[in-house]
């Protein structure tokens, strides 16, 4: 049901009003900063233009849902390798009218014709190499992004989808300055972008990398947004844009003499017309007096962060030494990942023991395996969620370690003046997705289906994440909203593939147990243990004085091997990129973006504190 609020700006024709405001705003009015404090609404996202778009919509009286759509659609222009209507994501929303948290599952689905052997090479009977699958039509899932926006705006918006797309359309038409991060992302992808005529024309004009500081325009995407604004999301889900998507997936726009021979996909217009973004109940756990709400399966974010918090609830971290806090953090995710891989998949296709995985009893069962004097040995076996807290986990075959080192995706957070909060993680999967731009439409298609397991695991354990027609691949995206006494106090989430879960958990521990400020909690060095022999860690984490003591407990660390971007941008190999908000009551807000990772993000508020 649509709930409209009256904007207090005195504009009566909303679309015209919004347009006037956007046209009146000086370009680049918002300086890029990682932290902003104030009132009236707040945004943190990957780029200045996207944060600015969100702030403008908020200033005009838009809700957090309106602004989130403005931010996400602008990221499709300014952060095109991790965002856009060719992808999908998970939208978590606190509605101040009902004091409740809701979620929308906008994850991509496999086309109906796909099946469990879609990633098995018929010539060899073996799984396709990951890189072969990434750059292909085969890996393109039915995009859920636009349907998510439509549903969010219908439910919570003050404006229409057309209004909320307008800032992005303008940025796409007028252009924005190329950053060194964007240039480096093109450089990393240059080989495969070069294989597709549509992709190279947009991102490698005349075969050259975009020049830092030059203007990048995307008139095709501006027209695509304008078409959607005029005709609605149906233009994509069954209409002309959808037809172009289907044509592209089948007839890949390869350049003459292309050296890659990518596989086409099976998507049909019926797959697009039948796509649904789903309202789902959020996951919920209590942690130290807070209510933590997050995304239920098809993402593993809410269950894995939630289970790890339940494990940690058995220890008084605030009273522990820093070494013991980190030891418990690493052991909790080691255990929770064993369970994630065994039990979590698309609930439309596999039975996920959701209640059991999130029960405090199961947390106790898993916590009792933790030895404060010695690290567990991975890969660990999953626990039995049906055994309650009855003793330590019985031994089962060991699960597979998770070694999935992604760096893409984006997370955005928005709070509005009405008390609503949005926490939205979305992605096209790999940096650059499938590498395929839809000709004439200006956006990249995802490669989300590579998030399925290509083949059953060698452990012989059942695998809830094998492909099937219509199924959603398991995600790690963990958009989270934390309430205290039914009021939102924190909203956070991150990019970074399977490390998203550990980044969100580590930030919660930093803020709640270690009492760091939110910006410090976001900036702190990260480590990610995912039931693997050694823990992936940032160099700054390894350099901390706690590391020798952790190593004495049997923890081992390896520097994260994130792709080698320009050192001036990344500073060092990093884990994840995060955006977060803190709400202090009486309308006071703090937005925190990354200060350094992936070139740093952009935080802003409508009325900055003096
Ligand atoms: N596709 C990944 C997921 O859903 C996110 C990709 C990334 O962050 O690199 O978990």
């Amino acid at each position: 049901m649509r709930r409209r609020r009256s904007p207090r700006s005195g504009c009566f024709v909303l679309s015209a009003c919004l347009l006037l405001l956007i046209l009146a705003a000086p370009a680049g009015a918002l300086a890029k900063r990682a932290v902003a404090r104030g009132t009236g609404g707040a945004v943190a996202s990957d780029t200045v233009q996207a944060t600015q778009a969100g702030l403008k919509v908020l200033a005009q009286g838009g809700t957090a849902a309106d602004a989130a759509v403005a931010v996400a659609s602008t990221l499709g222009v300014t952060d095109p390798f991790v965002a856009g209507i060719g992808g999908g994501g998970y939208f978590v929303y606190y509605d101040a009218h009902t004091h409740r948290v809701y979620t929308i599952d906008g994850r991509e689905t496999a086309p109906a014709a796909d099946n469990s052997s879609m990633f098995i090479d018929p010539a060899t009977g073996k799984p396709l190499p990951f890189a072969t699958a990434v750059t292909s039509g085969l890996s393109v899932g039915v995009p859920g992004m636009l349907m998510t926006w439509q549903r969010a705006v219908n439910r919570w918006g003050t404006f229409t989808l057309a209004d909320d797309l307008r800032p992005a359309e303008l940025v796409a038409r007028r252009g924005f300055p190329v950053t060194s991060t964007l240039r480096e992302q093109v450089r990393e992808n240059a080989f495969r972008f070069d294989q597709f005529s549509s992709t190279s024309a947009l991102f490698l004009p005349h075969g050259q990398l975009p020049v830092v500081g030059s203007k990048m325009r995307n008139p095709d995407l501006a027209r695509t947004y304008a078409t959607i604004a005029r005709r609605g999301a149906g233009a994509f889900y069954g209409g002309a844009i959808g037809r172009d998507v289907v044509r592209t997936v089948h007839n890949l726009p390869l350049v003459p003499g292309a050296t890659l021979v990518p596989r086409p996909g099976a998507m049909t217009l019926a797959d697009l017309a039948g796509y649904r973004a789903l309202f789902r109940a959020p996951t919920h756990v209590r942690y130290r007096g807070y209510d933590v709400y997050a995304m239920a399966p098809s993402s593993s974010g809410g269950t894995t962060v939630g289970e790890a918090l339940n494990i940690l609830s058995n220890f008084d971290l605030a009273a522990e030494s820093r070494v013991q806090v980190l030891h418990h953090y690493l052991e909790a995710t080691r255990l929770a990942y064993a369970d994630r891989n065994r039990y979590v998949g698309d609930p439309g296709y596999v039975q996920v023991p959701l209640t059991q995985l999130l029960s405090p009893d199961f947390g106790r069962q898993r916590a009792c395996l933790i030895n404060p004097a010695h690290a567990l040995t991975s890969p660990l076996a999953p626990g039995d969620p049906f055994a309650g807290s009855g003793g330590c986990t019985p031994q089962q075959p060991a699960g597979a370690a998770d070694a999935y080192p992604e760096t893409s995706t984006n997370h955005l957070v928005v709070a509005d003046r009405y008390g609503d909060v949005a926490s939205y993680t979305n992605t096209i999967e790999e940096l650059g997705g499938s590498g395929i731009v839809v000709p004439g439409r200006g956006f990249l298609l995802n490669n989300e289906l590579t998030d399925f397991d290509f083949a059953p695991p060698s452990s012989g354990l059942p695998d809830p994440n094998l492909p099937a027609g219509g199924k959603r691949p398991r995600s790690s995206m963990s958009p989270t909203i934390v309430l205290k006494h039914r009021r939102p106090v924190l909203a956070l989430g991150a990019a970074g593939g399977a490390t998203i879960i550990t980044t969100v958990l580590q930030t919660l521990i930093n803020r709640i147990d270690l009492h760091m400020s939110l910006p410090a909690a976001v900036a702190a060095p990260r480590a990610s243990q995912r039931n693997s022999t050694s823990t992936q860690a940032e160099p700054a984490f390894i350099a901390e004085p706690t590391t020798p003591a952790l190593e004495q407990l049997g923890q081992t660390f390896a520097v994260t091997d994130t792709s080698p971007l320009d050192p001036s941008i990344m500073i060092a190999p990093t884990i994840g990129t995060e955006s977060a908000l803190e709400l202090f009551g009486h309308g006071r807000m703090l937005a925190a973006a990354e200060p350094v990772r992936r070139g740093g993000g952009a935080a802003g508020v409508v009325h900055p504190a003096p």
Side-chain angles (χ1 to χ4, degrees):
M1 195 185 62
R2 184 166 194 123
R3 178 197 54 178
R4 284 202 171 269
R5 289 171 162 128
S6 307
R8 299 173 197 172
S9 61
C11 289
F12 297 107
V13 182
L14 296 181
S15 304
C17 184
L18 195 61
L19 183 63
L20 276 178
L21 186 93
I22 290 156
L23 293 175
L30 184 79
K32 184 171 167 186
R33 58 173 63 181
V35 181
R37 291 181 180 77
T39 55
V43 180
S45 83
D46 276 4
T47 74
V48 181
Q49 297 81 9
T51 293
Q52 197 161 14
L55 290 175
K56 283 174 183 166
V57 169
L58 290 173
Q60 272 312 95
T63 62
D66 290 307
V69 170
V71 175
S73 52
T74 305
L75 287 170
V77 184
T78 57
D79 208 6
F81 310 120
V82 304
I85 56 174
Y90 297 95
F91 190 87
V92 177
Y93 200 78
Y94 173 80
D95 182 333
H97 279 186
T98 60
H99 300 294
R100 289 181 57 195
V101 176
Y102 303 83
T103 78
I104 303 175
D105 177 336
R107 184 68 159 172
E108 297 90 336
T109 54
D114 285 341
N115 56 46
S116 61
S117 57
M118 66 181 285
F119 288 118
I120 304 294
D121 187 344
T124 63
K126 299 221 165 70
L128 290 173
F130 186 72
T132 305
V134 167
T135 308
S136 74
L138 187 65
S139 68
V140 179
V142 181
M145 201 83 80
L146 185 60
M147 184 77 84
T148 305
W149 300 351
Q150 180 72 78
R151 295 210 78 179
V153 170
N154 283 355
R155 178 84 179 248
W156 297 292
T158 287
F159 299 147
T160 63
L161 179 64
D163 293 325
D164 295 335
L165 291 178
R166 192 157 293 115
E169 184 196 329
L170 280 175
V171 175
R173 181 163 299 129
R174 289 175 172 177
F176 64 97
V178 170
T179 62
S180 40
T181 304
L182 190 133
R183 176 185 160 94
E184 286 304 312
Q185 290 173 338
V186 177
R187 189 177 63 76
E188 262 196 62
N189 277 288
F191 170 71
R192 62 193 195 117
F193 284 3
D194 236 357
Q195 304 286 308
F196 301 101
S197 49
S198 47
T199 314
S200 53
L202 183 56
F203 298 122
L204 285 161
H206 314 294
Q208 301 298 310
L209 292 177
V211 174
V212 175
S214 67
K215 251 195 185 165
M216 178 176 275
R217 294 191 177 81
N218 191 339
D220 286 347
L221 185 55
R223 273 191 296 275
T224 302
Y225 282 153
T227 303
I228 295 166
R230 264 197 323 277
R231 305 216 182 117
F236 192 101
Y237 294 101
I241 302 167
R243 278 197 291 281
D244 286 353
V245 169
V246 170
R247 189 178 311 119
T248 305
V249 165
H250 287 266
N251 306 307
L252 303 171
L254 289 163
V255 293
T259 45
L260 286 182
V261 192
R263 286 156 205 257
M267 197 189 303
T268 64
L269 204 57
D271 289 319
L272 276 163
Y275 181 83
R276 295 289 173 267
L278 304 171
F279 279 95
R280 293 190 191 276
T283 60
H284 170 241
V285 297
R286 292 273 295 166
Y287 186 69
R288 318 255 190 242
Y290 293 88
D291 290 287
V292 181
Y293 290 93
M295 197 62 224
S298 55
S299 182
S300 63
T303 55
T304 315
V305 172
E307 181 188 334
L309 288 173
N310 280 339
I311 293 172
L312 292 171
S313 287
N314 293 281
F315 306 97
D316 185 3
L317 297 192
E320 289 181 353
S321 69
R322 186 157 164 76
V323 171
Q324 276 300 316
V325 171
L326 291 170
H327 179 62
H328 280 110
Y329 157 63
L330 297 172
E331 296 301 86
T333 57
R334 191 191 296 280
L335 287 157
Y337 257 90
D339 301 324
R340 164 201 188 261
N341 293 356
R342 166 65 187 85
Y343 296 111
V344 183
D346 180 343
Y349 288 73
V350 291
Q351 258 198 328
V352 182
L354 192 56
T355 312
Q356 290 80 5
L357 282 175
L358 287 171
S359 75
D361 275 355
F362 187 53
R364 268 191 290 283
Q365 180 203 120
R366 299 302 268 158
C368 96
L369 284 171
I370 295 179
N371 180 346
H374 208 279
L376 293 160
T377 304
S378 285
L380 281 177
D384 178 359
F386 294 96
S389 61
C392 286
T393 309
Q395 277 308 299
Q396 295 183 13
D402 197 290
Y404 157 21
E406 301 296 334
T407 55
S408 38
T409 304
N410 75 88
H411 183 76
L412 64 95
V413 279
V414 181
D416 66 27
R417 63 171 94 161
Y418 313 109
D420 287 9
V421 178
S423 185
Y424 184 23
T425 316
N426 57 82
T427 189
I428 58 171
E429 216 302 280
E430 282 288 308
L431 193 65
S434 63
I436 307 166
V437 166
V438 180
R441 298 298 186 179
F443 63 90
L444 280 157
L445 291 169
N446 70 81
N447 65 296
E448 214 70 58
L449 302 186
T450 59
D451 274 0
F452 283 122
D453 295 337
F454 287 13
S458 52
S459 67
L461 287 170
D463 185 347
N465 192 36
L466 290 172
K471 191 174 175 181
R472 292 163 197 240
R474 177 175 61 209
S475 170
S476 299
M477 289 189 268
S478 311
T480 300
I481 294 181
V482 181
L483 308 192
K484 188 150 202 183
H485 307 307
R486 301 182 75 208
R487 305 270 170 206
V489 289
L490 290 172
L492 70 162
T499 67
I500 291 172
I501 289 166
T502 55
T503 294
V504 168
L505 181 69
Q506 197 175 354
T507 307
L508 287 172
I509 295 168
N510 287 346
R511 181 71 195 93
I512 293 174
D513 292 297
L514 302 182
H515 304 292
M516 291 182 190
S517 70
L518 188 64
V522 168
R526 292 182 188 140
S528 179
Q529 168 50 246
R530 306 190 300 282
N531 197 17
S532 50
T533 335
S534 62
T535 294
Q536 190 184 347
E538 293 180 337
F541 183 96
I542 295 176
E544 289 197 330
T546 40
T547 297
L550 284 166
E551 285 171 341
Q552 275 178 4
L553 296 177
Q555 303 286 359
T556 56
F557 299 97
V559 172
T560 179
D561 58 355
T562 321
S563 44
L565 285 179
D566 179 339
S568 70
I569 298 161
M570 301 291 281
I571 309 297
T574 58
I575 293 177
T577 49
E578 190 166 26
S579 298
L581 281 180
E582 183 154 359
L583 302 144
F584 302 102
H586 306 291
R588 290 176 305 128
M589 309 165 176
L590 180 152
E594 288 290 350
V596 171
R597 295 180 182 99
R598 205 158 76 194
V605 289
V606 174
H607 302 303

